[in-house]
Coordinates of all heavy atoms in Angstrom, one line a residue:
E31 N 0.8 -1.2 0.0 CA 0.0 0.0 0.0 C 0.9 1.3 0.0 O 0.5 2.3 -0.6 CB -0.9 0.0 1.2 CG -1.9 1.2 1.3 CD -2.8 1.1 2.5 OE1 -2.5 0.3 3.4 OE2 -3.8 1.9 2.5
S32 N 2.0 1.2 0.7 CA 2.9 2.4 0.8 C 4.3 2.0 0.6 O 4.8 1.0 1.1 CB 2.7 3.0 2.2 OG 3.7 4.0 2.4
D33 N 5.1 2.9 -0.2 CA 6.5 2.7 -0.3 C 7.3 3.6 0.6 O 8.5 3.8 0.5 CB 6.9 2.8 -1.8 CG 6.7 4.2 -2.3 OD1 6.0 5.0 -1.6 OD2 7.2 4.6 -3.4
G34 N 6.5 4.3 1.5 CA 7.1 5.3 2.4 C 7.3 6.6 1.7 O 7.3 6.8 0.5
N35 N 7.4 7.7 2.5 CA 7.7 9.0 2.0 C 8.9 9.6 2.6 O 9.3 9.2 3.8 CB 6.5 9.9 2.3 CG 5.3 9.6 1.5 OD1 5.4 9.5 0.2 ND2 4.2 9.3 2.1
F36 N 9.6 10.5 1.9 CA 10.8 11.1 2.4 C 10.7 12.6 2.3 O 10.4 13.2 1.3 CB 12.0 10.6 1.5 CG 13.3 10.9 2.1 CD1 13.8 10.1 3.2 CD2 14.2 11.9 1.6 CE1 15.0 10.3 3.8 CE2 15.4 12.1 2.2 CZ 15.8 11.3 3.3
H37 N 10.9 13.3 3.5 CA 10.7 14.7 3.6 C 11.7 15.3 4.5 O 11.9 14.9 5.7 CB 9.3 15.0 4.0 CG 9.0 16.5 4.0 ND1 9.0 17.3 2.9 CD2 8.6 17.3 5.0 CE1 8.7 18.5 3.2 NE2 8.4 18.6 4.4
L38 N 12.5 16.3 4.1 CA 13.5 16.9 4.9 C 14.5 15.9 5.6 O 14.8 16.0 6.7 CB 12.8 17.8 6.0 CG 11.9 18.9 5.4 CD1 11.3 19.7 6.6 CD2 12.7 19.9 4.6
G39 N 14.8 14.9 4.8 CA 15.8 14.0 5.3 C 15.3 12.9 6.1 O 16.0 12.1 6.7
E40 N 13.9 12.8 6.3 CA 13.3 11.8 7.2 C 12.2 11.0 6.4 O 11.5 11.6 5.6 CB 12.8 12.4 8.4 CG 13.8 13.0 9.3 CD 13.2 13.5 10.6 OE1 11.9 13.5 10.7 OE2 13.9 14.0 11.5
T41 N 12.1 9.7 6.7 CA 11.0 9.0 6.2 C 9.8 9.3 7.1 O 9.8 9.1 8.3 CB 11.3 7.5 6.3 OG1 12.4 7.2 5.5 CG2 10.1 6.7 5.8
T42 N 8.7 9.8 6.5 CA 7.6 10.3 7.2 C 6.5 9.3 7.3 O 5.5 9.5 8.0 CB 7.0 11.6 6.6 OG1 6.7 11.4 5.3 CG2 8.1 12.7 6.7
R43 N 6.6 8.2 6.5 CA 5.6 7.2 6.6 C 6.3 5.8 6.5 O 7.1 5.6 5.5 CB 4.5 7.3 5.5 CG 3.4 6.3 5.6 CD 2.3 6.6 4.6 NE 1.3 5.6 4.6 CZ 0.2 5.5 3.8 NH1 0.2 6.4 2.8 NH2 -0.7 4.6 3.9
L44 N 6.0 4.9 7.4 CA 6.7 3.6 7.3 C 6.3 2.8 6.1 O 5.1 2.6 5.9 CB 6.4 2.8 8.6 CG 7.1 1.5 8.7 CD1 8.6 1.7 9.0 CD2 6.5 0.7 9.9
P45 N 7.2 2.4 5.3 CA 6.8 1.6 4.1 C 6.4 0.2 4.5 O 6.8 -0.3 5.5 CB 8.1 1.6 3.2 CG 9.2 1.7 4.2 CD 8.6 2.6 5.3
N46 N 5.5 -0.4 3.7 CA 5.1 -1.8 4.0 C 6.3 -2.7 3.7 O 6.4 -3.8 4.3 CB 3.9 -2.2 3.2 CG 2.7 -1.3 3.5 OD1 2.1 -0.8 2.6 ND2 2.3 -1.3 4.8
L47 N 7.2 -2.3 2.8 CA 8.4 -3.1 2.5 C 9.6 -2.2 2.7 O 9.7 -1.2 2.0 CB 8.3 -3.7 1.1 CG 9.6 -4.4 0.6 CD1 9.9 -5.6 1.4 CD2 9.4 -4.8 -0.9
S48 N 10.5 -2.5 3.6 CA 11.7 -1.7 3.8 C 12.5 -1.6 2.5 O 12.6 -2.5 1.7 CB 12.5 -2.3 4.9 OG 13.7 -1.6 5.0
H49 N 13.1 -0.4 2.4 CA 14.0 -0.2 1.2 C 15.5 -0.6 1.6 O 16.4 -0.5 0.8 CB 14.0 1.3 0.9 CG 12.8 1.8 0.2 ND1 12.6 1.6 -1.2 CD2 11.7 2.3 0.6 CE1 11.4 2.1 -1.5 NE2 10.8 2.5 -0.4
D50 N 15.7 -1.1 2.8 CA 17.0 -1.5 3.3 C 17.1 -3.0 3.1 O 16.1 -3.7 3.0 CB 17.2 -1.1 4.7 CG 17.2 0.4 4.9 OD1 17.6 1.1 4.0 OD2 16.6 0.9 5.9
D51 N 18.3 -3.5 3.2 CA 18.6 -5.0 3.2 C 17.9 -5.7 2.0 O 17.7 -5.1 1.0 CB 18.1 -5.6 4.5 CG 18.8 -4.9 5.7 OD1 20.1 -4.7 5.6 OD2 18.2 -4.6 6.7
D52 N 17.6 -7.0 2.2 CA 17.1 -7.8 1.1 C 15.6 -8.2 1.2 O 15.2 -9.1 0.4 CB 17.9 -9.1 1.0 CG 19.4 -8.8 0.6 OD1 19.7 -7.7 0.0 OD2 20.3 -9.6 1.0
A53 N 14.9 -7.6 2.1 CA 13.4 -7.9 2.2 C 12.7 -7.8 0.9 O 13.0 -6.8 0.1 CB 12.8 -7.1 3.2
W54 N 11.8 -8.7 0.6 CA 11.1 -8.6 -0.7 C 9.8 -9.4 -0.7 O 9.6 -10.3 0.1 CB 12.0 -9.2 -1.8 CG 11.4 -8.9 -3.3 CD1 11.1 -9.9 -4.2 CD2 11.2 -7.7 -3.9 NE1 10.7 -9.3 -5.3 CE2 10.8 -7.9 -5.2 CE3 11.4 -6.3 -3.5 CZ2 10.5 -6.9 -6.1 CZ3 11.1 -5.3 -4.4 CH2 10.7 -5.6 -5.7
L55 N 8.8 -9.0 -1.5 CA 7.6 -9.7 -1.7 C 7.5 -10.3 -3.1 O 7.7 -9.5 -4.1 CB 6.4 -8.7 -1.6 CG 5.9 -8.4 -0.2 CD1 6.9 -7.7 0.7 CD2 4.6 -7.5 -0.3
Y56 N 7.4 -11.6 -3.2 CA 7.4 -12.3 -4.5 C 5.9 -12.6 -4.8 O 5.0 -12.6 -4.0 CB 8.2 -13.6 -4.4 CG 9.6 -13.4 -4.1 CD1 10.0 -13.3 -2.7 CD2 10.6 -13.4 -5.1 CE1 11.4 -13.1 -2.4 CE2 11.9 -13.3 -4.8 CZ 12.3 -13.1 -3.4 OH 13.7 -13.0 -3.1
D57 N 5.7 -13.1 -6.1 CA 4.4 -13.6 -6.5 C 3.3 -12.6 -6.3 O 3.4 -11.4 -6.6 CB 4.2 -15.0 -5.9 CG 5.3 -15.9 -6.0 OD1 5.9 -16.0 -7.1 OD2 5.7 -16.6 -5.0
D58 N 2.2 -13.1 -5.6 CA 1.1 -12.2 -5.3 C 1.0 -11.9 -3.8 O -0.1 -11.6 -3.2 CB -0.2 -12.9 -5.7 CG -0.5 -12.6 -7.2 OD1 -0.3 -11.5 -7.7 OD2 -0.9 -13.6 -7.9
A59 N 2.1 -12.0 -3.1 CA 2.1 -11.7 -1.6 C 1.7 -10.2 -1.4 O 2.0 -9.3 -2.3 CB 3.5 -11.9 -1.1
K60 N 1.1 -9.9 -0.3 CA 0.6 -8.6 0.0 C 0.9 -8.1 1.4 O 0.8 -8.9 2.3 CB -1.0 -8.6 -0.2 CG -1.5 -9.1 -1.6 CD -3.0 -9.2 -1.6 CE -3.4 -9.8 -2.9 NZ -3.0 -11.2 -3.1
A61 N 1.3 -6.8 1.5 CA 1.6 -6.2 2.8 C 0.9 -4.8 2.8 O 1.2 -4.0 1.9 CB 3.0 -6.1 3.1
Y62 N 0.1 -4.5 3.8 CA -0.7 -3.3 3.7 C -1.3 -3.0 5.1 O -1.1 -3.7 6.1 CB -1.8 -3.3 2.7 CG -2.8 -4.4 2.9 CD1 -4.0 -4.2 3.4 CD2 -2.5 -5.7 2.5 CE1 -5.0 -5.2 3.6 CE2 -3.5 -6.7 2.6 CZ -4.7 -6.5 3.2 OH -5.6 -7.5 3.3
A63 N -2.0 -1.8 5.2 CA -2.6 -1.4 6.4 C -1.7 -1.3 7.6 O -2.0 -1.7 8.7 CB -3.8 -2.3 6.8
G64 N -0.4 -0.8 7.4 CA 0.5 -0.6 8.4 C 1.5 -1.7 8.7 O 2.4 -1.6 9.5
A65 N 1.3 -2.9 8.0 CA 2.2 -4.0 8.2 C 3.6 -3.7 7.6 O 3.7 -2.8 6.8 CB 1.6 -5.2 7.5
N66 N 4.6 -4.4 8.1 CA 6.0 -4.1 7.7 C 6.8 -5.3 7.5 O 6.8 -6.2 8.4 CB 6.6 -3.2 8.8 CG 8.0 -2.8 8.4 OD1 9.0 -3.1 9.1 ND2 8.2 -2.0 7.3
V67 N 7.5 -5.4 6.4 CA 8.5 -6.4 6.1 C 9.8 -5.8 6.0 O 10.0 -4.8 5.3 CB 8.2 -7.1 4.7 CG1 9.2 -8.3 4.5 CG2 6.7 -7.6 4.7
C68 N 10.8 -6.3 6.8 CA 12.1 -5.6 6.9 C 13.2 -6.6 7.0 O 12.9 -7.8 6.9 CB 12.1 -4.7 8.1 SG 11.8 -5.4 9.7
G69 N 14.4 -6.2 7.2 CA 15.6 -7.1 7.3 C 15.7 -7.8 6.0 O 15.7 -7.3 4.9

């Protein structure tokens, strides 16, 4: 649902999938409504 937002050097909304490390969603997997996949 969200890839996060960046404003004045800060992420202002937590992305459902982190832009760091190797976390990823394959196939038809879904993350939304505030959920978070990281690491």
Side-chain angles (χ1 to χ4, degrees):
E31 183 178 14
S32 170
D33 64 346
N35 289 307
F36 195 72
H37 185 59
L38 299 180
E40 295 183 357
T41 300
T42 58
R43 183 177 180 184
L44 183 69
N46 298 126
L47 172 63
S48 172
H49 287 275
D50 302 320
D51 303 316
D52 295 333
W54 189 242
L55 275 63
Y56 299 83
D57 309 317
D58 278 318
K60 304 172 184 67
Y62 58 100
N66 181 244
V67 183
C68 60

